[in-house]
Every structure is written in structure tokens, then in C-alpha cells.
Amino acid sequence: MAEKDKSKVLCASGIVKHFGGVQALKGVDFEVGHSEIHCLCGENGCGKSTLIKVISGVHEADEGTILLNGNSYTKLNVRQSINEGIQVIYQDLSLFSRMTVAENIAINKMVGLDKKIISWKEVRRIAQEQLDRIGVSMNLKSTIEELSISNRQLVAICRALSMDAKILFMDEPTTALTHTEVERLLAIVTNLKEKGMSIVFVSHKLDEVMKIADRVTIFRDGSNAGKLDGKELENKAEAEKKLIYYMTGKDIEYSRYQNHEVKSNKTVLEVKELTRVPHYEGINLSLKEGEILGITGLLGSGRTEFALSLFGLNKPDSGSIVVEGKDFTADNPRKAIANGIALVPEERQSQGVFMDRTIEDNIASVALNKISDRFGVVQNKDSAKLAEDTIALWNVKASGKDALVSQLSGGNQQKVALGRWALVNPQILILDSPTVGVDIGSKSEIYEKIQFLAKKNIGIILISDDIPELLANSNRIAVFNSGKIIKIFDEEEVEKEGVRQEIEEIIAIKVSEKGENES
């Protein structure tokens, strides 16, 4: 049995967990100190979520010991975990969309009090107390479905705090947040630490880990792969290299994937004064054959609405779209595809792939002309081969072409989405947030494929909140704000030292100006 360590609020030792014949955890160790932000990292399937569920009592460990606040457990249930101050905020947040902010924050606390009659005054008091605790103002009467993802995240934090949390687990909390929203969340998390709380922060985003971590533990294939302490984290460049190596077992250079020059002068897309009120106004952009044009800006800046217009899903009010020298009327996606435009949308699970269908079905859905005979009958052999070739080319980790897309990791779902649209041989490929929720290894593979497609003379529009991602891949970068392009960084500017800070400052200045105008 592990010895009690009064400097730690959590010590998990030798945790083993099997699911059938699969060993998800192979004797892992994990500890959390008082008032500490401990980042837990690793690629999808490495065992992070399983460990969290063991510590929170959802899964029972096969072997190992868990010490919480000095109390030892070999079999831990949910009630014991909650009583020890464990609270978990999962990616889906588990909020009640049609209930109010106040009800969502207070519900677990009220259930725990086991009162037969609910005092709505008490519900509001609990909710307001927790919002005040994190320094956030919010309408208690608003329903969750009326809130932004960022504010829903804050409601989930407040609900956890209402349960007297001592250790707060946050599983990929910034996946759907913009840069500004991420900064606000990290500030709140840091403030909670300063007030005495311990936080386990799970993230794929290395820049976030480097900003916020007091310590980092890395899992790979269900085992401890490495750890970084305070001193090692001081040199952020070296720490990031070590972190990537521990996560993947490979040295991945994450700084600059884009080395190819745009050799062609052929313009495949030209947009002139494109406007759709209130989404965007007066957009002027061009894209060359084989060029990667990065686009960034806050959610609501008009960037996604602009992309949808190019694909025929958000018809502009005025202006023109010229594709390969010919005017294009953006009426519908079928016309866009016929004109060589393809889109991998931001909402992967609801729009990018058919989650409840097989990989083969997903591939076949955009390639019927390749796998059908002259009578329009799908040839099963051709369909199967096309799916198998796509799986191989995009290195999709799956049991085979008949695997359901819903059973794949986020990175492999995205590879299927990218692979299926690459099959239409587009001249223009629009990628909206292609690596959201994707781990480091899969990101690297996706970047390589983006470069591969660009070298095949496909013009690519890459939309992302992740500035390092854009700098790693783009020839030029356009910054959107409030429906307009604020600045376009050309190839020389993209290569300059300090350009990341310059882009972030432009976005921050515009956010500040917006706030001042609203007040």
C-alpha cells in the first residue's frame, strides 16, 4: 500500500484496468499536490479518460491504490469520490440545455441536500455565489441553449465548485473555444489555483500546457511515458519537444511544415467585394493554385460564414466569386462541387461525416461516379477498393472499411472527412478548423497531407483559431474581425519572427475596441 503523503491531495499508485481483453491502464501512477495545476497529456486512447473515470469512481480499478486527502481506497465508488472533493468536467459538459443557468449550477448541490421542497431563492443564491467566486456575471434566468460554448463551460465549473470541489478534473476544456475565450478560461483556472484548489487539466494543445502547468504527466499506450516538473517547464521550447516525444515516441518538428513555394501564378479563386449582411462585408481575397491561405479571427468574425458562401450554403447579397477565370454563382453545394470547390466543415460530427455509417459508406457518398457503372449501379468491389485505398493513404487507424465512423478517434474521423473530399479532385479545398480535438500525432499526419494536397496544385483555404497551426502551414494569413478582413500577412511577413504575437495583438485590439463600443 502506498504511504500517506500529506503534501498530496491525490496519489494513484499502480492502477490497472482491463476492458475485456484490452488493458487500458498498465499500472499507472499519478499524483496531484495542493493548489497545483497538473496537466495530463497523451494521445487519444492512451488511458487519460480511463484514469479519470477510475479516480471519480465511474470505473473500478482491477489493481492499485488511490489515496485521497490521506484516505486509502482500493475500490472507489462515485459517492466516495464526490465526498473526497473530486469533480469532473467532461468534454460534453453534461448540462441540461433547457434548464436555466441557476438550475444547472445548483442542481447537484440541491440533490445532495436531499430536500423534498426546492427553495428557488436558495437555488439562485448557490448559483450567484459560485459565479461571484470566479468573477463572472451571467443572467441566472438564461437557458443553457442560449449560451455560448465558453459560458456553458463556466456554468459547468460553477456547478463543480458548488459541490465543494478540492480537485477539479477538466477534460479538453478548450476544444471549442476561441483564443480570447481560452485566455479567459486559463485566467479563471489560475485564479482557482491561487485560492487553494487543485486542477487536473487535460489538453492536446501544447501552448496551453506550457502556459498553465505546474507539472505535466504524460501517458502513452496505457502507461506512464514521462513527466515534466517546474524546472523543466521553464525552458518552454525544450519542454515542448520532450512533451511531444513522450506523447508520440517520435521527434516531431512542430514549428514549420510549410516549405513549398507557390510556383504557379494561376489564380484559382478571386473574391471581389463579397458581402452578406450581417455576416461579412466587402471581402476581397485571391487564392493561387497550390497555395495555402490561412484565415483566422474570433468565432462570429465572419470567417465560417464566408467559407459557407464559397460552398453555396450561404448565398452572398452582392459581390462576385471568380473560379478559374469564370464567374461562379454560389447557389448550392452541388454547383460548388461541379466548379471544383470542396469543404470540410467545422462541425465534423454533425456535418463532416456520417457518424453512424461505415468508412466505406462515407467514402462512397462523394465518389458515386467513380464506383458506379453506366447504369448508375454501385459496384461493390470498386467501392471496397476505394475505401481501402483511402484508409491506407490517410493512415486511418480502424479495424477496416466496415468500421463505423463513430467508433474512431477524433483524429481518424477527421482523416476520413479529409480523405472523402480529396477524392472529388477539387481545385479549391476549404478546411474549417481541421484539427480541433485532434491529438499531436494525428495533427502531424494531417499537416503532412495538407502539404501533399497543396503540392498537387490544390488551392487550400485553412481556417483556424490555432495561430501556430496557421504559421506552420500557410503561405499567407488573412485576419477577419466583425465581418471584415483587417490585415493579410504575405509570405515574407508569415516568415518573420514575432508574427504570431502581432496576429494575436491585432485580434486582441479589435476585441478591446468592440468591448468599449458596446459599453
Side-chain angles (χ1 to χ4, degrees):
M1 183 181 293
E3 295 182 6
K4 292 186 178 182
D5 185 346
K6 293 182 180 179
S7 69
K8 310 298 179 188
V9 289
L10 165 65
C11 290
S13 305
I15 305 298
V16 174
K17 180 62 183 175
H18 293 82
F19 294 101
V22 177
Q23 188 171 2
L25 296 175
K26 305 170 184 177
V28 300
D29 300 322
F30 184 70
E31 61 181 29
V32 181
H34 290 277
S35 302
E36 175 184 66
I37 299 175
H38 195 143
C39 286
L40 179 57
C41 299
E43 298 197 272
N44 291 330
C46 71
K48 304 187 302 292
S49 295
T50 301
L51 178 69
I52 292 171
K53 288 178 179 177
V54 167
I55 293 171
S56 60
V58 175
H59 294 324
E60 186 178 294
D62 300 327
E63 299 176 29
T65 302
I66 299 172
L67 290 173
L68 284 167
N69 307 303
N71 300 315
S72 179
Y73 298 89
T74 54
K75 297 183 186 300
L76 183 67
N77 62 42
V78 172
R79 176 53 57 190
Q80 289 170 325
S81 178
I82 291 172
N83 289 341
E84 292 285 2
I86 300 291
Q87 286 290 315
V88 182
I89 300 175
Y90 294 104
Q91 282 184 335
D92 65 3
L93 303 180
S94 301
L95 299 173
F96 298 97
S97 62
R98 296 192 178 183
M99 291 174 65
T100 67
V101 167
E103 290 165 345
N104 271 275
I105 292 174
I107 186 169
N108 288 0
K109 181 76 171 178
M110 297 302 290
V111 169
L113 294 174
D114 197 26
K115 291 185 177 180
K116 293 182 180 179
I117 299 176
I118 293 176
S119 166
W120 294 109
K121 183 178 179 181
E122 179 71 359
V123 167
R124 291 189 293 273
R125 185 196 65 77
I126 292 170
Q128 190 60 57
E129 186 177 89
Q130 301 312 321
L131 286 167
D132 291 343
R133 189 173 171 185
I134 64 171
V136 170
S137 177
M138 201 177 298
N139 186 348
L140 296 180
K141 295 180 180 179
S142 295
T143 60
I144 295 302
E145 62 189 1
E146 293 174 324
L147 302 183
S148 67
I149 295 297
S150 174
N151 282 335
R152 293 179 195 182
Q153 185 74 251
L154 299 181
V155 170
I157 291 174
C158 287
R159 183 178 60 187
L161 296 179
S162 75
M163 297 297 290
D164 301 319
K166 294 184 177 68
I167 309 174
L168 180 61
F169 285 80
M170 305 182 75
D171 191 2
E172 299 287 352
T174 65
T175 296
L177 305 187
T178 66
H179 173 77
T180 302
E181 291 168 340
V182 168
E183 292 298 314
R184 178 173 69 154
L185 179 63
L186 296 185
I188 288 170
V189 169
T190 301
N191 182 255
L192 289 173
K193 182 194 85 165
E194 291 170 353
K195 291 180 178 178
M197 183 171 289
S198 300
I199 294 115
V200 178
F201 196 90
V202 180
S203 180
H204 288 129
K205 299 181 180 179
L206 301 189
D207 57 334
E208 293 174 8
V209 173
M210 294 299 109
K211 281 181 183 178
I212 203 170
D214 295 312
R215 281 194 297 164
V216 183
T217 293
I218 304 98
F219 286 179
R220 187 169 75 243
D221 297 328
S223 302
N224 289 91
K227 60 183 179 180
L228 300 172
D229 61 19
K231 289 184 179 179
E232 290 175 293
L233 290 168
E234 289 176 4
N235 186 331
K236 296 194 182 300
E238 286 300 314
E240 191 169 297
K241 287 181 181 178
K242 287 181 181 178
L243 182 54
I244 292 171
Y245 179 77
Y246 287 143
M247 288 174 68
T248 65
K250 298 180 288 187
D251 290 315
I252 298 175
E253 189 60 45
Y254 193 62
S255 58
R256 188 76 174 151
Y257 286 80
Q258 192 279 115
N259 292 312
H260 81 280
E261 295 180 5
V262 181
K263 297 178 181 178
S264 173
N265 286 320
K266 180 181 178 182
T267 298
V268 292
L269 173 70
E270 189 169 7
V271 175
K272 300 176 183 178
E273 295 296 325
L274 205 67
T275 297
R276 179 181 168 91
V277 179
H279 298 153
Y280 56 82
E281 181 182 356
I283 302 300
N284 292 286
L285 272 180
S286 64
L287 179 70
K288 291 183 179 178
E289 189 176 62
E291 180 183 25
I292 300 175
L293 173 64
I295 292 180
T296 192
L298 299 176
L299 291 177
S301 64
R303 59 185 204 182
T304 292
E305 291 80 4
F306 168 69
L308 293 174
S309 289
L310 296 180
F311 194 61
L313 287 170
N314 195 35
K315 188 176 179 181
D317 300 326
S318 61
S320 64
I321 302 172
V322 180
V323 177
E324 296 207 22
K326 298 178 181 179
D327 285 338
F328 165 60
T329 302
D331 286 329
N332 57 68
R334 183 175 296 178
K335 187 179 287 187
I337 293 169
N339 280 270
I341 303 173
L343 167 69
V344 178
E346 181 180 16
E347 295 291 336
R348 175 175 64 238
Q349 294 188 349
S350 61
Q351 299 173 0
V353 289
F354 299 106
M355 293 290 289
D356 58 348
R357 303 302 293 267
T358 66
I359 295 175
E360 182 177 351
D361 289 342
N362 272 271
I363 300 302
S365 67
V366 297
L368 292 174
N369 62 323
K370 296 177 183 289
I371 58 175
S372 303
D373 63 17
R374 62 194 181 93
F375 300 107
V377 178
V378 172
Q379 303 300 295
N380 291 334
K381 287 184 180 180
D382 293 340
S383 175
K385 186 177 187 307
L386 192 63
E388 288 164 356
D389 289 348
T390 302
I391 289 170
L393 177 63
W394 288 83
N395 193 27
V396 178
K397 293 180 176 66
S399 57
K401 63 182 178 58
D402 295 323
L404 294 177
V405 172
S406 60
Q407 296 173 342
L408 306 181
S409 70
N412 287 300
Q413 290 174 3
Q414 190 68 322
K415 289 177 190 177
V416 171
L418 289 163
R420 68 196 288 263
W421 281 111
L423 285 172
V424 305
N425 298 319
Q427 286 297 303
I428 301 159
L429 178 59
I430 305 166
L431 306 176
D432 195 349
S433 307
T435 64
V436 168
V438 172
D439 60 42
I440 298 296
S442 293
K443 270 190 179 184
S444 175
E445 291 180 287
I446 289 171
Y447 293 164
E448 288 171 2
K449 293 302 181 185
I450 290 172
Q451 299 302 322
F452 168 75
L453 294 172
K455 287 174 182 176
K456 290 179 67 177
N457 287 329
I458 296 173
I460 295 173
I461 294 176
L462 175 61
I463 302 172
S464 179
D465 293 318
D466 190 338
I467 308 302
E469 175 169 279
L470 293 177
L471 293 173
N473 289 283
S474 307
N475 297 101
R476 294 183 297 139
I477 297 174
V479 182
F480 272 60
N481 184 270
S482 300
K484 297 181 179 180
I485 294 177
I486 304 303
K487 180 176 172 64
I488 298 177
F489 291 82
D490 63 25
E491 290 190 70
E492 289 186 6
E493 290 174 309
V494 167
E495 295 281 0
K496 281 194 318 183
E497 188 174 344
V499 66
R500 173 181 175 179
Q501 183 178 350
E502 188 177 349
I503 292 171
E504 290 177 349
E505 284 176 355
I506 289 173
I507 294 172
I509 288 169
K510 293 303 171 184
V511 170
S512 174
E513 289 175 355
K514 182 179 179 183
E516 289 173 5
N517 291 335
E518 287 177 348
S519 62

